[in-house]
Amino acid sequence: MKLIPLFLLFIFISGTLSKRDYTNRLYYTLHTTDKDSKEAVEHVATTLNARLEGQVGELNQYYLISIPKQSKRTDDSLITRFNNYKHRLSKRDLDWQRVDQIQAQVPARRIYKRAPPFFTEPIVENKEEEYKLNGESQPIELPGVLEKGAYDKIKSLLDIQDPGFNEQWHLMNKENMGYDMNVTGVWSQGITGKNVVVAILDDGLDMNHKDLEDNYFAEGSYDFNNHVADPKPRLADDTHGTRCAGEIAAAKNDLCGVGIAYDAKVSGIRILSGEITEADEAAALNYEFQKNHIYSCSWGPPDLGEVAEAPEGILLDAIKNGIENGRNGSGSIYVFASGNGGANDDNCNFDGYTNSIFTITVGAIDKLGNHPSYSEQCSAQLVVAYSSGNGGYIYTTDVGGQCSDRHGGTSAAAPLAAGVFALVLSVRPDLTWRDMQHLCVQSAIPISLDDGDWTTLPSGRMFNHKYGYGVLDAYRIVELAKRFKSVRPQTSLDILSVVDEKKEKLDIPDLTPDNLNTEVDQSKAFTSSLQVTDKMLDGVGLSRLEHVTATVTIEHQRRGDLEILLKSPNGVISQLGTPRKYDTSDEGFNHWTFMTVKHWEENPIGNWSLIVIDGKNTEYTGKFIDWKLSLWGEVKEGFKLPEKEKPSIGVDDFDNSSNKTENNQSFLDQDEMTDNGSSFIAYSFILAFMVVSLASTAFIVKKYMLATSNINYARPTEDDTYEFDNLLAENESDEDESEGEGDEEEDEYH
Ligand SMILES: *[C@@H]1O[C@H](CO)[C@@H](O)[C@H](O)[C@H]1NC(C)=O
Ligand SMILES: *[C@@H]1O[C@H](CO)[C@@H](O)[C@H](O)[C@H]1NC(C)=O
Ligand SMILES: *[C@@H]1O[C@H](CO)[C@@H](O)[C@H](O)[C@H]1NC(C)=O
Ligand SMILES: *[C@@H]1O[C@H](CO)[C@@H](O)[C@H](O)[C@H]1NC(C)=O
Ligand SMILES: *[C@@H]1O[C@H](CO)[C@@H](O)[C@H](O)[C@H]1NC(C)=O
Ligand SMILES: *[C@@H]1O[C@H](CO)[C@@H](O)[C@H](O)[C@H]1NC(C)=O
């Protein structure tokens, strides 16, 4: 009796997990304006003659539907039908009002494993480094490791029998003392990752491997490539995920080596062994996100230094859903490998997964603590961890019960960090995704200090685009975590710039030097400044700065020619974009968001300057359009953040059915928080911005509206106000027209 309903329930909840049939069907996602609008979606699907497959993963505003493939039908025909119906029905039909977007879901290859690069690093001589500790911490003496026989003594005290442990220099380095993750002092306290689950989003996980089977967590695992429960490696080259899993949770036994958090559990989520849809990737990023705590991601857009790609729409919504609702609201911890395109001039600020404020980006260092040329640098990189290079590799488990002594690339660095975070969560499961970032900043150790890019920051810490805040040290981060006070909620401040009020695009001077030996004269570079005042910070209650993002729109005939810098009021310079020799794109930057963690805990009051240097190839030129500066950080104690009016899932999307009156109301609500002087400017400026930025008007507006506490400020000059008044008037009349034109527009659809 009981079996039947349970069985049916299973079918129901696993709707989106059923096997896809791309040969015979076409798939689409529908997005709803509110959560839990299943009935509305059912109705819409019926009208469209489509089959409702179910909700997309944990995203309660996305549903998957499908229709049979027919020779004449293309992906577009259902979208056209949807738009026609929507246009006709949404005035009177509530269900159609609640479903606001449709998107085709085509399996496509967009993301790539970050496998070890196939070349050997040149041997670089490395002088013994003196570890420099940051912050107020006093240097702590390394105990014991230099003593005679310390290695064997520690190994025996920890009862490590794994035959491969001697090759795991990244855990305890016998040859070059100190060049390891410094984890033995954590293990000796019995902190080994118990009760923490790390999901390996990759090409599978050999759950039958004797070194992994005890730590394999089937409940958190799934194969999104084959749509079956077990994420078994099935293809010849499906070795990557198993190797990453072993770095984290290979058991302490008599096989291969040990994982850095050898009592943690690992889930396998298989997404890299074939083409998958964005809907499936989104579901994977939230898969069992109350049970999987950390997502280790050693993949991303191609690392050839040619593209600038970011997760948008459903993917960005999934990541936001993870940090907001995963792990009971403390937030899923997303760990991303910085990328292996260093030798191609690739930079992790051109990858929207690694430069997201929601993820922790981890680069690689080699066995001597040097920067391997493959490891991508960027201002969004938080920390580094050990990996291949200089003839060294990472020793771990391999598929088919084997062990591997050839794992590497930033792919091998990210899982080590994920494992260290598992150690942290095992002592402090309550810490949030932002706490983990603070812990990284505060505990990482600068390394290879002879590198010229190390900068001492106003906070007293050091930062380097190649090393972030330095190498992650398991002992330091766990000790710090034990007594860490969780940070208050996040707030943010947006400042928009329209550099030229007449909306003419501004020329970016070409500064290509006459001969190769001459430096580019940066003082002549295009510069745009935005001023941050204490009043603005008060308006959003920002007390402690964390991430800074700059969203830029620049036209250029060869994007790879540009270097983009952000200079803070304290003179700290983040290199947001590097010149990239293979980036020949003529698309420039269309609202591309760069991120930097270099200004963490800096005082943001004063002028921030964006500097655009076009120092290569005189024949290619460009024009500057606008930029937006966003400061993210901790809210002041006692400051009341505005209530969210809707769950923020799906807020960034182009929403055609947005309720204009409501939008207006929400602007006014937020304006009340600002002082009277700037509120009107803030309000009217947004409308002006809507008019001038054609492509993603709604994107900007929606983001502003629903983000918890964003307030936009403009430089209030009289000219600006005049200009904006006119734009406001224009904008209003536009709206009137479009309402009146409803019927005509409908004709166009038929
Ligand atoms: C929304 O409207 C824009 C034009 O205003 C159109 O380009 C876009 O396709 C529409 N999107 C949907 C999902 O209807
Ligand atoms: C490494 O861990 C030990 C404890 O095992 C600690 O004493 C030492 O200070 C740590 N190293 C660094 C560089 O912090
Ligand atoms: C979330 O809360 C539930 C109920 O309070 C609890 O059983 C579960 O273990 C929690 N999960 C996490 C990841 O903390
Ligand atoms: C900041 O910029 C504004 C306008 O661009 C200028 O008036 C002001 O003097 C600048 N402040 C500083 C401290 O440079
Ligand atoms: C728009 O919002 C207003 C006020 O919140 C509400 O009364 C109205 O019903 C909404 N219209 C639609 C079409 O959702
Ligand atoms: C916004 O709403 C107020 C009433 O709440 C109205 O007076 C004003 O004209 C509206 N503005 C726009 C741009 O719709």
Side-chain angles (χ1 to χ4, degrees), residues 24 54 86 88 91 154 215 218 255 280 318 330 357 418 427 437 443-444 449 491 495 512 547 555 589 612 692:
N24 299 307
K86 179 139 184 77
R88 270 190 287 149
K91 281 197 187 98
I154 293 173
N215 287 335
L255 282 166
D280 277 346
S330 296
I357 67 166
V427 292
Q437 299 201 19
S443 70
L449 295 178
T491 183
I495 306 170
T512 311
H547 313 85
E555 287 176 356
F589 295 103
V612 183
V692 290

Side-chain angles (χ1 to χ4, degrees), residues 461-475:
R461 300 195 184 98
M462 294 177 80
F463 185 87
N464 185 314
H465 293 81
K466 297 188 203 78
Y467 300 86
Y469 281 94
V471 58
L472 201 55
D473 183 289
Y475 181 81

Side-chain angles (χ1 to χ4, degrees), residues 111-115 198-203 240-241 244-245 247-248 267 269 271-272 281 284-286 293-301 303 319 332-340 351 353-354 358-363 407 409-419 421:
I111 48 177
Y112 295 83
K113 297 177 205 180
R114 300 213 147 139
V198 185
I200 318 292
L201 284 161
D202 213 291
D203 61 8
H240 194 249
C244 292
E247 290 183 83
I248 297 166
S267 303
I269 299 177
I271 57 168
L272 298 180
E281 189 189 326
L285 283 162
N286 292 156
H293 306 132
I294 299 168
Y295 292 83
S296 184
C297 306
S298 292
W299 45 267
D303 288 337
I319 294 173
S332 305
I333 310 286
Y334 292 107
V335 183
F336 272 88
S338 75
N340 293 339
D351 166 348
Y353 294 94
T354 50
F358 306 121
T359 65
I360 295 181
T361 296
V362 181
H407 195 34
T410 54
S411 268
L416 288 182
F421 301 151

Side-chain angles (χ1 to χ4, degrees), residues 151-152 166 169 172-177 180:
Y151 183 87
D152 291 326
N166 291 353
W169 55 266
M172 186 161 53
N173 199 330
K174 190 156 48 169
E175 223 174 288
N176 303 291
M177 305 288 185
D180 57 39

